[in-house]
Amino acid sequence: MQLFSYQSIMQIEILNDYYKSLISPDFSFVPERNTARSMNGLGIRSMEKNGMLNFFAEVDETGKLKNDQVSGSFKLVFFLKLNNPSYFNFTNLPFDSGNSKIYYFSNKASNEQEVFDTGADSLLLNQNTHTGDVDQIVASGMVYSYIHDGNDGAKKAELVSVDNDGTVDSQELDPVDEHYNFQFKLNDLPAGMYKLMIDGGEVDRFYFTGEQFSNRHFGVLELFSQAPSNYRWFTNANEVAPKKYRIAFEHRKTTWRYQVFNRSEVDFSNPGVREADTPWEFTDIGNNVFVSDNPMPLKEASIKGIALLGKKNNMASVLIDNLPNPDPSLIKPDPGDPTTIYSDMYIYL
């Protein structure tokens, strides 16, 4: 009788250097409905633990995968659900990308590099060193619409699956009021990335999320069996080649503002705020408001030694030797300059 056991084949780890441990516990993973069925047939199981997603597969006594994963072509799709409402406050991501965009991660990224001085290269699923705008894609529900400007006779639009470059639907329209209003029903299509071709040229690309997707979902993760060899969890001999994939996020930097209220009427004739080691410098802009000269990092590990001085040029005039770091949940974009984000703190003497 042939015996089978389970062996680890993949691990998904989300990193954010806001955290001292680098491990971001802010997400959960929701398998797409077809993926749940496919995994059962492939003998693959998944388990979340400590913010990481782990995969296990059945192997025989020789270490080979029970189910052939070499000859076929398949993908596993998981939606990322963000559970921390303050995540965007301390993570370097745009605050408002529009409700129609999601973040897309894939083991076809071919982005192997070191992040956060971990000492070794990581198999990243995001495009650059850290997740950013380039990882976003427009998401579509059950109906996809596209308006193409023009008045140049009939035009043919083709909806093409990016996974296999196959055409899944097409339309030919004449212009109405110098516009072509293409519309496709996606009900019968699998979740995935699609592109719209008009007269043979690509004009748009989007991700069809299917009926299962929710506005609470932050993004989508696709794991392809036909990925680059260094990103694939099995060999050409159908043996396990375990992989640890990572998605990397960078901490946010903000301009720190200390507002000091001198209720005790201490000597505050020429005050200052300074951290001597880095040094982080602050400018007194009047009314006992001190603003950092440069954006400063929001991190779980506080910056120590930011001192409030009664006399700014006298380090012996320390009134408070460790001013607090800002609460990441309380940040304030500048209405006149959205690129400037303030972290306000109120100090009482």
Side-chain angles (χ1 to χ4, degrees):
M1 182 177 69
Q2 193 173 27
L3 299 177
F4 295 97
S5 60
Y6 281 89
Q7 185 173 331
S8 175
I9 58 171
M10 290 183 284
Q11 184 182 73
I12 312 295
E13 191 174 61
I14 299 181
L15 304 183
N16 190 324
D17 68 339
Y18 166 80
Y19 293 105
K20 289 182 284 188
S21 69
L22 297 181
I23 304 300
S24 174
D26 307 283
F27 295 90
S28 55
F29 301 86
V30 181
E32 188 262 340
R33 193 168 290 118
N34 290 329
T35 288
R37 289 193 290 265
S38 297
M39 288 174 59
N40 283 331
L42 291 164
I44 297 176
R45 302 289 183 266
S46 65
M47 180 179 67
E48 282 190 63
K49 186 177 181 181
N50 300 326
M52 292 180 280
L53 181 62
N54 299 279
F55 292 86
F56 305 86
E58 286 184 281
V59 296
D60 62 23
E61 62 268 21
T62 70
K64 285 192 174 184
L65 291 159
K66 175 186 174 183
N67 295 279
D68 178 20
Q69 300 188 18
V70 177
S71 57
S73 177
F74 63 90
K75 68 178 178 181
L76 306 177
V77 180
F78 285 78
F79 297 119
L80 274 69
K81 179 183 176 184
L82 180 59
N83 301 315
N84 186 346
S86 296
Y87 196 74
F88 283 86
N89 290 33
F90 60 78
T91 304
N92 187 25
L93 294 172
F95 286 109
D96 184 12
S97 300
N99 293 330
S100 64
K101 287 187 178 180
I102 60 172
Y103 287 89
Y104 177 81
F105 307 102
S106 162
N107 66 338
K108 288 187 175 181
S110 295
N111 184 21
E112 187 173 356
Q113 61 174 299
E114 183 179 357
V115 289
F116 306 139
D117 299 320
T118 53
D121 286 351
S122 293
L123 296 176
L124 295 177
L125 303 180
N126 47 283
Q127 292 295 314
N128 295 326
T129 308
H130 311 113
T131 301
D133 291 349
V134 68
D135 297 293
Q136 290 185 316
I137 189 169
V138 172
S140 174
M142 292 299 176
V143 177
Y144 168 73
S145 300
Y146 185 85
I147 299 175
H148 183 71
D149 295 336
N151 191 26
D152 190 25
K155 286 191 175 293
K156 184 179 181 180
E158 295 176 285
L159 199 59
V160 177
S161 169
V162 174
D163 290 356
N164 56 31
D165 212 32
T167 299
V168 297
D169 201 356
S170 64
Q171 292 180 359
E172 188 167 333
L173 296 179
D174 291 315
V176 176
D177 296 331
E178 299 186 351
H179 295 94
Y180 300 84
N181 297 291
F182 294 105
Q183 191 172 87
F184 295 88
K185 292 183 178 180
L186 309 178
N187 306 55
D188 297 327
L189 297 179
M193 191 181 298
Y194 294 86
K195 57 185 177 181
L196 182 67
M197 312 288 289
I198 296 181
D199 288 345
E202 181 178 340
V203 296
D204 195 25
R205 189 171 287 219
F206 66 94
Y207 193 91
F208 172 50
T209 55
E211 62 183 16
Q212 189 180 350
F213 190 81
S214 164
N215 287 335
R216 295 176 301 167
H217 292 152
F218 172 89
V220 64
L221 164 66
E222 292 195 323
L223 300 171
F224 293 87
S225 63
Q226 300 302 313
S229 57
N230 61 323
Y231 269 75
R232 205 170 59 176
W233 63 89
F234 54 88
T235 69
N236 289 335
N238 204 43
E239 295 173 339
V240 174
K243 294 294 183 289
K244 176 185 279 189
Y245 305 119
R246 284 171 162 166
I247 300 171
F249 294 91
E250 183 184 30
H251 69 277
R252 186 180 294 283
K253 293 180 180 179
T254 62
T255 300
W256 293 15
R257 289 193 298 200
Y258 289 101
Q259 170 74 70
V260 180
F261 298 91
N262 187 11
R263 292 177 172 178
S264 302
E265 298 183 359
V266 298
D267 183 4
F268 214 55
S269 56
N270 189 25
V273 170
R274 192 180 182 199
E275 186 275 329
D277 292 337
T278 305
W280 296 108
E281 299 284 357
F282 291 77
T283 297
D284 183 353
I285 64 171
N287 296 319
N288 294 338
V289 177
F290 302 89
V291 180
S292 62
D293 291 352
N294 297 294
M296 297 177 63
L298 296 180
K299 288 205 171 186
E300 186 179 42
S302 298
I303 296 176
K304 303 294 186 181
I306 302 176
L308 176 63
L309 309 174
K311 296 179 180 179
K312 65 181 180 182
N313 296 319
N314 183 0
M315 292 301 291
S317 65
V318 174
L319 299 174
I320 300 176
D321 57 3
N322 271 307
L323 286 171
N325 283 210
D327 183 339
S329 66
L330 301 175
I331 63 174
K332 185 185 298 181
D334 187 332
D337 179 12
T339 62
T340 300
I341 301 171
Y342 291 104
S343 290
D344 287 326
M345 291 154 285
Y346 302 97
I347 309 300
Y348 296 89
L349 299 179

